[in-house]
Every structure is written in C-alpha cells, then in structure tokens.
Amino acid sequence: MNISNYLVLAAILFTIGAVGVLVRRNAIVVFMCVELMLNSVNLTLVTFARTTGTVDGQVIAFFVMVVAAAEVVVGLAIIMGVYRTRRSASVDDVNLLKY
Amino acid sequence: METIPATGLLGASWLLIALPLAGAAVLLLGGRRTDRWGHLLATGTVTAAFVIGLLCTFQLGGLDEPSASVDLFTFIQTGNLDVEAGLLFDPLSAVFVLLITGVGALIHVYSIGYMAHDPGRRRFFAYLNLFVAAMLLLVLGNSYVALYVGWEGVGLASYLLIAFWYTRPAAATAAKKAFIMNRVGDVGLALAIFIMFAQLGTTSYAGVFGEVGLLAGGTVTALGLLLLLGACGKSGQFPLQAWLPDAMEGPTPVSALIHAATMVTAGVYLIARSAPVFDETPTARTVVLVVGAVTLMIGAIVGCAYDDIKKVLAYSTVSQIGYMFLAVGLGPVGYAAGIAHLLAHGFFKAGLFLGAGSVMHAMHDQVDMRRYGGLAKKLPVTFATFGLGYLALIGFPFLSGYWTKDAIIEAAFDRGGTSGWLLGGVAVLGAGLTAFYMTRLVLMTFFGRARWEDGVHPHESPPVMTAPMVVLAIGSVAAGFLIVEAFPLTEWLEPVFGEPEEAAHVVAPLTVSIGLTVVMLLGVAAAWLFVGRREVPTTAPARVSPVVVAARRALYADTVNESLFMRPGMWLTRALVWLDNRGVDGVVNGTAAALGGSSSRLGRAQTGFVRSYALGMLGGAVLIAGALLAVTTA
C-alpha cells in the first residue's frame, strides 16, 4: 500500500472542496464543499494512523465527524433562517456585517 | 575685624527693613481704604527707619569693634548648605543705610506733593516703601544670599515703579527693558554665588572672605568677573547701561530714588563689599577699572547730546557711577573715595532729579529742554537748589563733587605708570564734559529766552516739594567737606577696608585740584560758547556732525544690543518654533495620521462577504504551510 496515493487523493479532495467554498454562491453547496474538505482531512488522519499503527488519528477523525455533524445542524438552521427572510440562499447576499 | 553680636538698638536693626516692608504691605493689602493716609504712613515708616539708622550708627561708632551682627533665623538648610538669615551692621552698611533712608525719606516727602493728583498715589508709595525695604536688605544682609534677595527685590520694585504709568507703552517697554537687562547682570551674580557654594560651601561674607584666598586663581578671577557683571547690570555700567536712561519713564521721584541714591549704587556697594575677593584677583580689578573708565566717558559724551532733561541727568548718573567703579577698581586706595563720591552724589543727584521734577511740574510734564528757557525768575527756589546741585556735580571748588571727585582722580593718577596717566586723563576729561553738559542743561533750562508752548504758566512748586530740595541742596554744598575733611569717611570705613596706604602723590594734590578746576571752567566756557551765547532753537538742528548723531543715538548702545542679542534671539526662537511646529508636532501628528489612515484603509477589507474571508483564511493557511515547509526542508 502506497500512502502517497491516499495523500494525493486527500489533497485533490481538499482542493476541490476549497475551490468550491471560494467560487460557489449557494450556501448549501458551500456547506457540502466544507464537508468535502473535512473528509479529505479525515482521510489524511486515517492514512497516517494506519501508517504509524496507532489509533490516535482514527479517534481524531471520529471527533471531526461529530463536530462536523453538530456544525451542520447549526449551519443549516442559519441557512434556513436566512432563506426565510431573504428568499435566497446565496452567501453573497448576506454581507451586512461589513466595515 | 571682629564681629560681635549686636546689643541694644543695634539688635533691633531688623526694624530698618521691617518698617518700610510693613508700610508696603499695609498699603498694598489695605487697598483704597488707605488712600487718604497711605502716603503719610509710607513717609513715616521711612523716616522712622532713618531715625533708627542714625541711632544705630551712633551706637556703632561707640563700639570698640564697629561691626555688629544680628542673627535672625535659618533661611535655607539643605544638604551641606546652611544659610543663616542675618544682618551685618558695620561702617559700610551704616553709610548706605543713612543714605538710603535719609534721601529716601526726603523723596517720600517730595512725592506727597509731586504725586498729589495721581489716582495711583497709594500704589506709588507702596512700591517706594517696598523699594526702600529691599535696598536696605541688600546693604544689611550678612551673606551673598541675603544680598541677592534684596538685589532681586530692588529689581522688582524698580520694575513696578518704572512701569508705574503702565498704560503708557513707553513706560511698560522701559520697565521690561530695565528688568531684562538687570536679569542679565543677575545671572552673573547668581553664578558667583553658585561658585561660592560649590567651592567654599558658604555664602556668608565672613566665610567667603576668610577662605577666598585658598581658591585657585582662575576661580577667584571668575568670581570677580561674575560679581562685576552683576554690578554692571544694577548700576547701568558698560555694556549694560542702556536701560538706565529709558527708566526715566517712571515718575520723577522714582528717578531720584533709583538713579541717584539707591539702586544704581548697589553695584558699587557689591564691589566695595567684595573687596577681599577683588584683592585676590588683579585681573578682575583691572576689568572693573576699564568698565568704570569706559562708562564714565560714554555717559559724559551722550549727556552732551540729549535734549530731554531727565535723560541728560540719567547719563550723568551713568557717568558718575563710572567714576565710582573707577575708584573701587583702583583697590584699597580707592574704596573709601568711591563710597565718598557715592554719598555726595546721592545728595546732589537726588536734588537735581527733584529739581528736574519741579521744572516738569511747572511745565506740564514737558521734558524737552528746548521748550524751557528763562525759568530762573519763575522758579526761584528750584533754580537756587538746582544750581547748587549743579555746581556740586561739576566739581565747583569746595562743594561736594569737588572734594570727592578730586579724591578719585588723585587716586587714579597715584596708580602710576601709563595706566595711571590714562585713567587720570580720562577722569579729568570726563569732568570737563560733565561741566559742559550740565552747564548746557542749566543754560537751556533757566536762562535765555522763554521758549514755552502756549498755555504754559510756570509756577513754583508747593513747599512740600521744595523743602526736600532745599535740604538736599544744603547736603550738596556741605556733604563733600564734611565727609572728606571734617569727619573723614576714610577713617570711618577703615574697619572695613583697612588702613589706607600712604598716597604716592604722583601728581601733587594741589595740581590736581587746580587742573580739575581749570578743566571744569573750560567745560563751562565751552557750554557758554555753544549754547549760552546763541539763541537756542526750539527744535534740535537736523544738520549735525556724525559725532553728534552718534551721541544722540546713545553711541548706538540700543542698536548694538538689538543686532547682537535681540535679533539673533528672535531668529533663534522663530527657528525653534518652526522646528517645534514642523518637526516635533509633525512627527507626532504624522504618526497619528498614518495610523488612522492605514486603519481606515484596512477596514475596507471587512467586506462582509464570507467567501472573501474564506479566501483570506486559505491564503493565510497556504502562506503558513509554505513557510513551515521552507523552514523544515531548509
């Protein structure tokens, strides 16, 4: 098993996710891209855990999943709230907290 | 000379200072309530001081060791400096006490009449009292610090008095000028006191004079020169003489008090009192001589050219104080002669100033002598007293000035060698010029055709003014004989200055006397030729020789001061202000503006767009990752 394959895959996934966060306007899609980035990190963690033969990385990966799930709950609630008031899920429409 | 603790009345000699000071306090704090009797109180306190001074002097004369000290209280006690406030009543201070309180009391009496119609009369008398108190402290203090307190008090009082008519810009300017030029001298005195403290650890006369011989030669010379600088400022001596004539802006009794009897003599007192210091430093003593000789010539030359009666008298004072500096610069042979001239001068110059005040009183405050003429008949008492003062000043045989000036000139010749002849020659020439300008003044004022403006009706002053003038005139006539021949001041001052050396008599005394009289008569004759014989024009002739122009401009003293000190000073301050505004303020304000501007620009980055924040974060993360990579792989 060559670990660099896993790492390259994780990097590709992370890049896709990052680009998605930066270029997409729809809050839902942005969210999914964030999930993609988190998962690429999880993949990296698991890969390193396998390589070193410890479970530390896998434990952390579980934590990331839990936190991501919790975050999604809050985030989706916010998106719903925004959509109700503005009839839009575009992240560029909510720029009230500016200078 | 041993100093003994004072007993009896001498122990109460602090009253001399306390009385006028209390008078000033009552008048200043009492306000309008004292308007009706304030002048009487002021005159009373000074007269009482005179009586006390007289009694103290008699008591002093009866002592075996004529030097009494009065310890008052600890003035300054810090570190290893211990200044005890105390008084020293010895023959030298006694002479000054009598002169200050005696002439001061007469001037107070005169002022009652002179200032009768002035709404600020109470204030005037308060300042006069303050002045007398400060001057008495100056001459009675037993240490240089006490002297300095009096010295500054006199400076303050003279400032207040010169600017008494403070609504006149000229008076306010003159007071400022006097104050500032005095400060220049005072810096010298202050530095001298610092040196005493640093080198000797004491400022009392006894301590300083006892140890001054142990100091290095250069230090003593510096001490002497700094003391001289202080003396020059107070006494209006070259190069600090320009303030004295301007100070004539004050009321005339002030001129008489400050410029004849008290303040300007403080410099002579300082040098005479510091005789043991100057004994150690021939260099500083020579500078005193030069200052005296130069000033006596400057005063005499400028006195010849002015038309303002008070300014002529002022330059005459400058010149006569020059004689006194010359005398005290000669060393032990001259101290007593200088003090004698000071005493005699106090009488006749005060009389002359009061006379000038009386003339101005009659002529509606006109000071231009070209607008006088023929006043001898209208003002007989003034004329008689002024005339006696005039004769005493020019050294008419057997009047005051003759005796005392003669002694100085003899002492100058006795110095021997080229310098003796030079100094004696200058002094004789100065005497001739004195005779010239004073005769010119008398001729223009009291003789010739009346050149009054319309509506002026000269009348003699009231008795309250003429009485002091008469007393001073009697003093002008008699003082010289009394203090030189009858009760020699030289002997009286022996405990202070030591036994006078046997006079060398390079030039026989009789020759000096006759020569001086001849020179004096030549001066009078010249004045008659130039002024008395001709018609005096009411306006000064415009076409005159460059010498006269220079003399009218006071030998460019003001121009020199202005271009050497005032202008560069103003440039310096302007440059500093510019530097402060642009440089210091610029740095501070610039920093603030740069921070403010950049922060408001940075604030623009807070767009509110989530995606731009995300880009920022990503960029930052990439940067950090790159940096870590670079560090770990390097």
Side-chain angles (χ1 to χ4, degrees):
Chain A
M1 185 188 78
N2 190 354
I3 68 159
S4 58
N5 292 339
Y6 296 94
L7 291 181
V8 169
L9 175 65
I12 292 169
L13 286 176
F14 188 89
T15 311
I16 293 169
V19 170
V21 169
L22 290 178
V23 301
R24 300 302 295 263
R25 287 211 184 89
N26 191 312
I28 307 290
V29 180
V30 170
F31 244 78
M32 292 196 302
C33 291
V34 170
E35 293 302 317
L36 203 57
M37 286 161 73
L38 287 171
N39 279 325
S40 78
V41 171
N42 280 348
L43 179 59
T44 319
L45 286 169
V46 173
T47 308
F48 282 130
R50 282 289 293 237
T51 320
T52 55
T54 57
V55 290
D56 298 7
Q58 304 199 8
V59 172
I60 294 174
F62 277 116
F63 272 109
V64 171
M65 282 179 209
V66 173
V67 172
E71 178 204 313
V72 165
V73 173
V74 178
L76 280 176
I78 293 172
I79 292 169
M80 291 294 284
V82 170
Y83 185 79
R84 279 198 188 157
T85 51
R86 302 183 169 247
R87 294 276 139 207
S88 154
S90 168
V91 288
D92 283 1
D93 286 350
V94 280
N95 63 346
L96 287 174
L97 286 177
K98 61 181 176 185
Y99 52 89
Chain B
M1 183 179 62
E2 286 296 307
T3 300
I4 55 156
T7 50
L9 191 60
L10 275 173
S13 54
W14 54 271
L15 275 174
L16 282 169
I17 302 166
L19 278 176
L21 198 61
V26 168
L27 261 62
L28 286 174
L29 298 175
R32 294 249 167 80
R33 271 162 290 181
T34 61
D35 265 350
R36 273 188 302 129
W37 45 269
H39 51 282
L40 299 177
L41 175 74
T43 313
T45 54
V46 176
T47 314
F50 175 65
V51 172
I52 295 173
L54 207 57
L55 294 174
C56 284
T57 308
F58 278 126
Q59 198 193 338
L60 187 74
L63 295 177
D64 296 335
E65 294 288 350
S67 172
S69 67
V70 184
D71 289 328
L72 295 178
F73 53 89
T74 304
F75 182 42
I76 300 170
Q77 190 172 35
T78 168
N80 48 357
L81 177 66
D82 230 343
V83 181
E84 294 287 334
L87 305 181
L88 174 69
F89 207 96
D90 71 350
L92 182 61
S93 23
V95 167
F96 274 87
V97 165
L98 290 184
L99 176 72
I100 295 160
T101 53
V103 176
L106 290 174
I107 290 170
H108 271 74
V109 172
Y110 176 92
S111 306
I112 294 177
Y114 190 84
M115 301 298 283
H117 306 296
D118 197 292
R121 179 163 73 160
R122 173 186 55 80
R123 191 165 54 89
F124 180 75
F125 274 92
Y127 294 162
L128 275 191
N129 261 15
L130 184 66
F131 187 93
V132 170
M135 191 67 201
L136 286 170
L137 176 61
L138 195 163
V139 296
L140 279 174
N142 71 347
S143 70
Y144 279 97
V145 171
L147 175 137
Y148 193 76
V149 175
W151 193 267
E152 292 302 319
V154 169
L156 167 71
S158 70
Y159 171 78
L160 293 171
L161 283 169
I162 294 167
F164 178 70
W165 287 316
Y166 54 81
T167 47
R168 290 186 193 170
T173 314
K176 264 195 292 182
K177 187 172 175 185
F179 200 74
I180 290 167
M181 293 194 81
N182 263 292
R183 291 289 81 68
V184 175
D186 292 353
V187 169
L189 181 57
L191 287 176
I193 294 174
F194 294 159
I195 289 182
M196 285 170 200
F197 170 51
Q199 298 286 326
L200 302 172
T202 175
T203 61
S204 74
Y205 293 143
V208 172
F209 299 158
E211 293 172 41
V212 72
L214 308 173
L215 290 178
T219 315
V220 184
T221 304
L223 202 56
L225 290 176
L226 288 169
L227 288 174
L228 174 64
L229 179 63
C232 282
K234 213 44 111 198
S235 288
Q237 294 292 290
F238 179 80
L240 297 173
Q241 82 278 25
W243 68 270
L244 224 169
D246 285 36
M248 294 295 130
E249 288 294 335
T252 306
V254 171
S255 310
L257 186 61
I258 297 181
H259 308 292
T262 57
M263 180 167 161
V264 291
T265 61
V268 184
Y269 171 80
L270 178 64
I271 293 181
R273 178 56 86 191
S274 309
V277 176
F278 284 92
D279 283 340
E280 299 285 330
T281 165
T283 320
R285 179 161 276 164
T286 310
V287 180
V288 176
L289 269 180
V290 172
V291 165
V294 169
T295 313
L296 91 85
M297 280 314 283
I298 289 179
I301 291 170
V302 178
C304 294
Y306 271 46
D307 289 327
D308 178 326
I309 185 169
K310 282 177 77 182
K311 288 199 172 167
V312 173
L313 289 177
Y315 272 107
S316 166
T317 304
V318 170
S319 173
Q320 296 301 311
I321 306 273
Y323 273 103
M324 296 168 209
F325 268 64
L326 179 68
V328 295
L330 287 168
V333 291
Y335 283 126
I339 301 297
H341 191 53
L342 191 157
L343 203 54
H345 175 259
F347 277 105
F348 56 70
K349 190 50 70 63
L352 287 171
F353 269 118
L354 295 190
S358 178
V359 169
M360 285 163 59
H361 184 77
M363 301 296 287
H364 293 245
D365 288 332
Q366 173 66 263
V367 290
D368 189 352
M369 297 190 295
R370 295 187 180 278
R371 284 289 175 185
Y372 293 165
L375 286 173
K377 284 192 199 114
K378 294 281 183 183
L379 309 172
V381 182
T382 306
F383 173 60
T385 56
F386 196 94
L388 288 173
Y390 150 73
L391 291 176
L393 172 56
I394 65 170
F396 193 81
F398 311 115
L399 297 187
S400 285
Y402 166 79
W403 294 104
T404 54
K405 207 185 284 181
D406 200 73
I408 294 176
I409 294 172
E410 261 178 50
F413 278 122
D414 282 352
R415 190 178 159 84
T418 323
S419 66
W421 284 102
L422 197 66
L423 292 168
V426 165
V428 170
L429 188 61
L433 284 171
T434 308
F436 173 79
Y437 67 71
M438 283 308 294
T439 310
R440 174 174 174 270
L441 185 150
V442 168
L443 287 174
M444 284 174 83
T445 306
F446 293 106
F447 294 97
R449 187 176 59 85
R451 299 179 299 275
W452 315 326
E453 279 164 345
D454 295 336
V456 174
H457 304 288
H459 53 279
E460 187 56 275
S461 302
V464 71
M465 285 167 70
T466 49
M469 287 155 60
V470 171
V471 176
L472 286 170
I474 294 170
S476 314
V477 174
F481 176 77
L482 287 178
I483 60 182
V484 175
E485 291 292 319
F487 308 102
L489 195 65
T490 326
E491 279 175 27
W492 171 249
L493 292 173
E494 237 170 57
V496 183
F497 298 129
E499 296 265 344
E501 301 161 28
E502 195 57 45
H505 294 311
V506 174
V507 183
L510 191 64
T511 319
V512 173
S513 300
I514 294 174
L516 205 55
T517 310
V518 169
V519 170
M520 184 266 290
L521 289 175
L522 281 176
V524 173
W528 168 253
L529 276 177
F530 284 112
V531 183
R533 210 167 47 119
R534 305 178 192 170
E535 184 74 0
V536 177
T538 50
T539 49
R543 294 165 66 85
V544 285
S545 69
V547 181
V548 178
V549 174
R552 279 187 189 163
R553 304 277 307 271
L555 299 182
Y556 303 106
D558 282 340
T559 321
V560 169
N561 285 341
E562 195 179 312
S563 48
L564 268 187
F565 302 109
M566 198 187 105
R567 297 273 164 222
M570 286 172 75
W571 291 332
L572 182 66
T573 53
R574 272 189 206 148
L576 287 177
V577 166
W578 184 85
L579 206 66
D580 184 48
N581 284 345
R582 299 293 174 84
V584 178
D585 291 5
V587 168
V588 173
N589 293 341
T591 311
L595 283 176
S598 57
S599 75
S600 72
R601 269 187 204 99
L602 276 176
R604 296 260 159 201
Q606 303 294 322
T607 52
F609 290 114
V610 177
R611 296 188 300 141
S612 78
Y613 296 166
L615 183 64
M617 279 191 235
L618 183 72
V622 168
L623 218 62
I624 289 170
L628 281 175
L629 205 65
V631 169
T632 47
T633 52

